[in-house]
Amino acid sequence: MLNGTHRPCLHLRPAALPQAPCQDGVPGGERGYFQRGRPLWLAAITLSFGYYTWVVFWPQSIPYQSLGPLGPFTQYLVDHHHTLLHNGCWIAWLIHIGESLYATVLCRSKGIMDGRAQLLWFLQTFLFGIASLSILIAYRPEHQKRT
């Protein structure tokens, strides 16, 4: 009871094992479960992937001298290992595609059947990779036995 009202969906679980939100007053709305990634991780991945893409596709527009120690290091990589950077960029995107497809399969195996929730997991995992996928992997639906 909280302020004279009963809260049937209050769950006390460790942060590492996220709980499905309440739906219609019933705990564990697994069919539509989605949890956004942590903002710090999302920002770090967005900035680093954005910088990496910029280095690979538009290296001539980078102000190397204004980037402190990162500038000369980046210029060295562009000048001596551009093919490796280019291939690495495409491999990273292919890995994200694979993680996204796995997220969709994982949704079904964990009982997340809502199409919108599956799409959100797919898109978030495509954009942010393991930072999103790890949340889905850690998710334990109520009906699933915990080991």
Side-chain angles (χ1 to χ4, degrees):
M1 279 239 201
L2 184 65
N3 296 334
T5 60
H6 183 65
R7 297 191 58 170
C9 295
L10 181 64
H11 301 289
L12 301 175
R13 296 184 64 157
L17 298 175
Q19 174 66 40
C22 300
Q23 286 184 345
D24 301 324
V26 178
E30 290 92 1
R31 292 185 56 81
Y33 174 76
F34 176 77
Q35 182 178 339
R36 187 179 41 122
R38 295 180 187 245
L40 180 64
W41 277 112
L42 302 184
I45 292 167
T46 300
L47 289 173
S48 60
F49 229 133
Y51 183 70
Y52 188 27
T53 303
W54 187 22
V55 166
V56 169
F57 294 106
W58 302 282
Q60 70 283 358
S61 68
I62 298 174
Y64 298 107
Q65 65 283 359
S66 303
L67 297 175
L70 187 59
F73 177 67
T74 302
Q75 188 156 25
Y76 170 80
L77 291 176
V78 167
D79 292 343
H80 296 95
H81 302 288
H82 189 58
T83 303
L84 182 64
L85 289 173
H86 193 266
N87 292 340
C89 186
W90 289 113
I91 289 170
W93 280 113
L94 287 173
I95 289 170
H96 278 231
I97 290 170
E99 288 171 329
S100 300
L101 295 171
Y102 179 62
T104 304
V105 170
L106 199 55
C107 280
R108 291 186 191 120
S109 74
K110 291 186 179 251
I112 302 171
M113 299 302 177
D114 181 66
R116 183 173 184 273
Q118 288 182 3
L119 177 63
L120 289 172
W121 279 114
F122 179 88
L123 292 174
Q124 179 175 265
T125 304
F126 176 71
L127 294 172
F128 304 110
I130 196 69
S132 171
L133 188 60
S134 63
I135 296 168
L136 184 56
I137 289 170
Y139 169 65
R140 300 284 186 262
E142 288 238 341
H143 69 275
Q144 199 175 47
K145 293 182 181 176
R146 294 181 211 147
T147 56

